Amino acid sequence: MAQQGTAGPTGTARLGRVIGTGPSAVSGVVLLLPAGTETSTRKPSPLAAGGVRALGRRLAQDGRDAGLAAHVVHYGCRGWNGAQAQLARDATWAVEEIVRRYGDVPVCLAGVDMGGRAALRAGGHEAVNSVLALAPWLPEDDVAAPPEPVKQLVGRRVLVVHGTNDERTDPELSFRYAERAKKANRDVCRFEVHSDGHRLHQHQAEVLALASDFAMGVLFGADFARPLEDALAAPPPLGLRMPLASGFGQSLRR
């Protein structure tokens, strides 16, 4: 049965209900991290969670029989807020809540936009075995600030997906990040969705199929589709600029 959302210890972050009917027994969890803003102490917009619900519904549907539970993380505020990295802190709290609720189950952090950055930053938690970042917001390289860390991703499988026509978050920054992460962890790949924008609506079916294939593989050991397997195995830059083919999820599975 779906469970009530749970507030964080400070009354800020909150874990949403299980999406869909939920499995009878939970064997793996996807935490969905919505978009945010660079700087703000305001509460998240009620619409923020809508950006990850289509992904959540697809994963809940495809993974229910395997024991997948999907939850949206509702942040305490909408801003990353510099060194506070508030959204990443909220993501870490949510992982702890999953451990408290379900015990020792693998967790995949799946984020969009600023939620993608939060997923990557919080990926070092011992319960997290994988990270999915869709059109992640990543900071510009700045010699006055330390680069976005990647060592926390060692031992995790990581998938980054970015539209080449994204005008909100720079796809070149996610490539540079993935390139650095690949040096620390070979299990990193990145797909480019040609001609698609920030919301990845033009090829939504393919993006959702790719995300589902990744989640089923990392959480339950299902075989990856050949393009995903090849992307993980390929050296850079090939495995970091893998094109997401039209029709993925229909005819490309082995």
Side-chain angles (χ1 to χ4, degrees):
M1 295 179 62
Q3 301 183 46
Q4 296 289 337
T6 304
T10 61
T12 52
R14 181 171 60 84
L15 193 63
R17 294 171 178 264
V18 174
I19 294 177
T21 58
S24 56
V26 174
S27 301
V29 175
V30 174
L31 283 175
L32 300 153
L33 301 168
T37 59
E38 190 170 359
T39 305
S40 177
T41 57
R42 297 176 61 192
K43 292 182 178 180
S45 164
L47 302 176
V52 292
R53 287 202 181 278
L55 173 61
R57 288 191 296 268
R58 174 62 184 266
L59 295 178
Q61 175 184 324
D62 290 356
R64 184 176 184 275
D65 290 345
L68 186 147
H71 294 265
V72 175
V73 178
H74 299 277
Y75 307 126
C77 68
R78 66 181 67 182
W80 182 270
N81 299 326
Q84 294 182 40
Q86 187 63 50
L87 305 188
R89 291 174 60 189
D90 288 350
T92 298
W93 170 82
V95 177
E96 294 288 349
E97 175 60 20
I98 289 299
V99 172
R100 185 194 69 78
R101 182 179 296 189
Y102 298 120
D104 184 19
V105 298
V107 177
C108 175
L109 293 177
V112 302
D113 187 86
M114 192 71 75
R117 183 185 184 188
L120 293 163
R121 181 71 73 90
H125 191 287
E126 62 182 6
V128 175
N129 81 345
S130 50
V131 176
L132 167 62
L134 302 179
W137 186 99
L138 294 166
E140 295 278 354
D141 296 333
D142 186 345
V143 295
E148 193 69 9
V150 296
K151 290 184 178 179
Q152 75 279 5
L153 298 174
V154 171
R156 283 78 181 159
R157 284 173 169 162
V158 180
L159 168 61
V160 178
V161 183
H162 219 139
T164 59
N165 289 359
D166 193 329
E167 295 182 353
R168 173 174 166 81
T169 61
D170 187 349
E172 187 60 25
L173 293 179
S174 76
F175 171 76
R176 294 179 201 166
Y177 178 91
E179 192 173 37
R180 288 195 296 114
K182 186 78 170 179
K183 292 178 181 178
N185 173 21
R186 61 177 296 177
D187 291 326
V188 174
C189 66
R190 177 179 172 276
F191 277 74
E192 295 185 333
V193 190
H194 288 289
S195 78
D196 219 337
H198 183 62
R199 296 183 182 276
L200 299 168
H201 279 172
Q202 184 176 342
H203 298 286
Q204 184 183 54
E206 288 87 350
V207 171
L208 293 181
L210 177 64
S212 177
D213 192 271
F214 178 73
M216 295 306 106
V218 295
L219 292 177
F220 307 116
D223 289 339
F224 291 129
R226 185 61 181 269
L228 183 54
E229 182 181 353
D230 288 348
L232 284 166
L238 295 178
L240 304 180
R241 293 197 184 276
M242 186 70 71
L244 182 59
S246 177
F248 181 94
Q250 299 176 20
S251 60
L252 297 181
R253 177 171 282 282
R254 291 191 299 182

